[in-house]
Amino acid sequence: MGPEFGRLAYVRHIITYTLSPFEQRPFAKYFSVGLPNLWRRFRGQVFRVAPLFLAGYAVYSWAIEEEQRLKRKNPADYVNDE
Amino acid sequence: HPLIKLINQTLIDLPTPSNISACWNFGSLLGLTLLIQILTGVFLMMHFSSGDTMAFSSVAYTSREVWFGWLIRGLHMNGASLFFMFIFLHIGRGLYYASYLHESTWNVGVIMLLLLMATAFMGYVLPWGQMSFWGATVITNLLSATPYVGSTVVPWIWGGPSVDNATLMRFTALHFILPFALLASLVTHLIFLHERGSFNPLGVNSNTDKIPFHPYYTLKDTLGAALAASALLTLALYLPTLLSDPENFTQANSMITPTHIKPEWYFLFAYAILRSTPNKLGGVLAMFSSILILLLMPFLHTTKQQPMSTRPMSQLLFWALVLDFFVLTWIGGQPVNSTYILMGQTASVLYFAIILILMPTIGLLENKMTSFIYTISPR
């Protein structure tokens, strides 16, 4: 079902070198390179995602306050009632 | 051996792109959640009585008296929420990375979404609480808007003049059988997927850089499953009623209508679209269209680049669509007041506008803006 290993692609003149996993440290530079890379990836996306959600939150909190305001009477309207 | 060969081709030696991200975990998580739902559901069915006089108390009995019945019920209820969360994330991945270009896989996926929604809707009726009864009444009544046959079809579905014992019993049977139809669709979905192989976040042909599914993705999917299981257990053990409606702790009463009838959270976006349309038939059509529009996605793809990874303007629209989905979900759960009516209508129009008009237009604009031609690689 579908292409199997050996029938995926015909590639010529590509030589790959790999290190045995037993010769590597699996978590090498996990923090020293990983954390700056995480920050780089965050910065690349945050200005496409965050502004919309901040605007959405502003609309959400306005709507809730507006709904609360519409459910209440204005005390100033009844200030001179006897 | 043919069975071992099948398992080997699907889960062990399956060539998989080396760079698929966490967004690709949701497929396996959905399969796992389906399994959990079937297992917990079968155990719940052992103690459930589907008559209208017995259903509510049988569910209470299961929760209180059956050994770990409270846990099985908690897992089943919250498993349904998790199922929908995963499927929304899975569809979101599909929209972002244009997985809908695998048309056969995508179309079967939409059928699976419809089956899931039908299963969940009917499952919610079974405990026969107030929200079960009234939610079923509201949603099945919508079908009466169908021209000519509407008023005949609805009592036929109900099995009587209103939602009653007959409705509950047939929903029980259908709720039991549909997950197996979902399972069959899942197999079809995987067959179509494995014909071409998974896509990848970069949008390039990955045939030159594939790794075997085992051990890399068996391990990655196990990690995903462990995190999902933690989420499910946190909900089931600490917050079992966080996502449910307190009205459902009251037995169904056709003489008392709850103040705020609303479905479970995963249907609220469609409910908001339904309520935003003043016309009854229009609302029903808009509600169904909001799901069926997914079938149009392959035809609305105008850009030459497949994923949104390299298309920032489309990314903005994608996140606007996600935000709109959240707004619709929130509005669907709110009472119908002037503020929320306008917001719901705006969000509904925006939902269709983004998918039908803005995304295709931005796609065409992005084609003109890019300086190279990128063609979608045939497999």
Side-chain angles (χ1 to χ4, degrees):
Chain A
M1 188 167 50
E4 298 158 345
F5 282 112
R7 294 193 299 119
L8 289 171
Y10 183 65
V11 181
R12 298 177 65 215
H13 304 310
I14 303 285
I15 302 169
T16 57
Y17 296 92
T18 55
L19 274 178
S20 160
F22 295 101
E23 302 290 323
Q24 300 178 49
R25 290 187 300 129
F27 291 98
K29 299 177 188 174
Y30 191 75
F31 294 108
S32 60
V33 173
L35 287 177
N37 189 47
L38 186 65
W39 175 244
R40 177 192 66 81
R41 286 165 55 214
F42 175 77
R43 278 180 58 199
Q45 293 294 314
V46 67
F47 296 115
R48 295 169 194 177
V49 182
L52 284 165
F53 282 88
L54 288 172
Y57 182 75
V59 170
Y60 162 80
S61 47
W62 167 83
I64 288 180
E65 281 173 19
E66 181 69 5
E67 204 236 344
Q68 291 298 321
R69 187 187 71 78
L70 288 170
K71 279 161 119 171
R72 297 278 174 264
K73 293 180 184 176
N74 182 7
D77 293 342
Y78 303 93
V79 78
N80 290 320
D81 276 6
E82 290 298 317
Chain B
H1 188 278
L3 279 177
I4 295 176
K5 185 181 173 190
L6 187 63
I7 295 170
N8 185 53
Q9 281 179 340
T10 313
L11 290 173
I12 302 172
D13 283 342
L14 175 73
T16 320
S18 63
N19 62 330
I20 51 176
S21 64
C23 296
W24 269 253
N25 273 47
F26 296 115
S28 63
L29 286 175
L30 282 163
L32 182 73
T33 317
L34 177 61
L35 201 63
I36 291 172
Q37 290 300 94
I38 288 175
L39 283 171
T40 53
V42 163
F43 280 102
L44 285 174
M45 268 302 173
M46 292 177 188
H47 305 280
F48 180 71
S49 298
S50 69
D52 61 344
T53 51
M54 296 279 299
F56 186 83
S57 49
S58 72
V59 171
Y61 170 82
T62 308
S63 295
R64 292 167 189 272
E65 306 291 341
V66 171
W67 198 50
F68 287 110
W70 58 272
L71 181 59
I72 299 172
R73 190 191 177 192
L75 287 172
H76 198 74
M77 273 167 50
N78 292 295
S81 287
L82 217 63
F83 208 142
F84 275 94
M85 194 177 78
F86 290 151
I87 209 168
F88 291 148
L89 290 165
H90 191 65
I91 294 168
R93 186 281 309 265
L95 292 175
Y96 191 91
Y97 294 105
S99 309
Y100 44 75
L101 294 172
H102 277 194
E103 278 184 45
S104 31
T105 314
W106 180 259
N107 292 339
V108 174
V110 175
I111 290 169
M112 289 169 73
L113 173 65
L114 293 168
L115 281 171
L116 175 66
M117 288 180 155
T119 309
F121 169 70
M122 287 187 284
Y124 193 60
V125 178
L126 302 193
W128 209 237
Q130 274 286 66
M131 210 47 83
S132 307
F133 176 86
W134 287 100
T137 303
V138 167
I139 298 299
T140 49
N141 260 311
L142 292 175
L143 296 169
S144 65
T146 315
Y148 302 111
V149 299
S151 54
T152 318
V153 159
V154 172
W156 176 71
I157 290 173
W158 284 339
S162 67
V163 172
D164 206 347
N165 186 48
T167 324
L168 175 57
M169 295 188 77
R170 61 191 53 190
F171 278 11
T172 308
L174 289 170
H175 183 70
F176 194 97
I177 203 71
L178 278 185
F180 298 101
L182 196 57
L183 208 53
S185 306
L186 170 63
V187 171
T188 317
H189 191 65
L190 285 177
I191 288 172
F192 282 130
L193 175 68
H194 290 171
E195 278 299 306
R196 299 176 69 172
S198 288
F199 199 59
N200 70 88
L202 286 175
V204 295
N205 188 332
S206 57
N207 279 344
T208 50
D209 183 21
K210 288 217 163 141
I211 53 178
F213 192 84
H214 177 70
Y216 299 102
Y217 293 108
T218 44
L219 191 62
K220 190 170 184 176
D221 284 350
T222 306
L223 171 64
L227 292 170
S230 311
L232 180 59
L233 283 170
T234 305
L235 278 173
L237 295 173
Y238 290 111
L239 303 159
T241 55
L242 176 72
L243 301 169
S244 62
D245 196 317
E247 281 283 359
N248 236 24
F249 278 100
T250 312
Q251 188 163 359
N253 187 342
S254 58
M255 303 303 285
I256 301 174
T257 311
T259 329
H260 301 295
I261 300 172
K262 56 178 185 166
E264 286 287 89
W265 71 267
Y266 35 82
F267 289 138
L268 288 174
F269 77 98
Y271 196 56
I273 291 173
L274 170 77
R275 293 195 305 184
S276 297
T277 318
N279 179 274
K280 187 174 178 183
L281 178 60
V284 172
L285 288 174
M287 183 177 72
F288 284 123
S289 302
S290 67
I291 318 285
L292 295 173
I293 203 169
L294 292 173
L295 292 168
L296 288 180
M297 294 311 302
F299 307 104
L300 297 168
H301 187 90
T302 51
T303 176
K304 291 192 173 75
Q305 298 167 66
Q306 182 160 342
M308 288 186 190
S309 318
T310 49
R311 298 190 278 130
M313 292 194 292
S314 290
Q315 285 182 20
L316 273 171
L317 278 179
F318 172 81
W319 291 112
L321 185 65
V322 169
L323 177 67
D324 190 65
F325 182 85
F326 285 161
V327 168
L328 281 170
T329 302
W330 165 56
I331 292 286
Q334 297 302 311
V336 183
N337 294 335
S338 55
T339 324
Y340 297 140
I341 291 172
L342 182 63
M343 286 189 69
Q345 288 171 335
T346 310
S348 303
V349 168
L350 204 60
Y351 178 89
F352 289 102
I354 289 175
I355 295 174
L356 289 171
I357 302 168
L358 294 177
M359 276 184 169
T361 311
I362 290 291
L364 289 169
L365 196 63
E366 280 164 344
N367 281 348
K368 288 193 185 331
M369 288 170 71
T370 48
S371 59
F372 62 92
I373 304 292
Y374 185 93
T375 54
I376 294 159
S377 321
R379 299 283 171 97

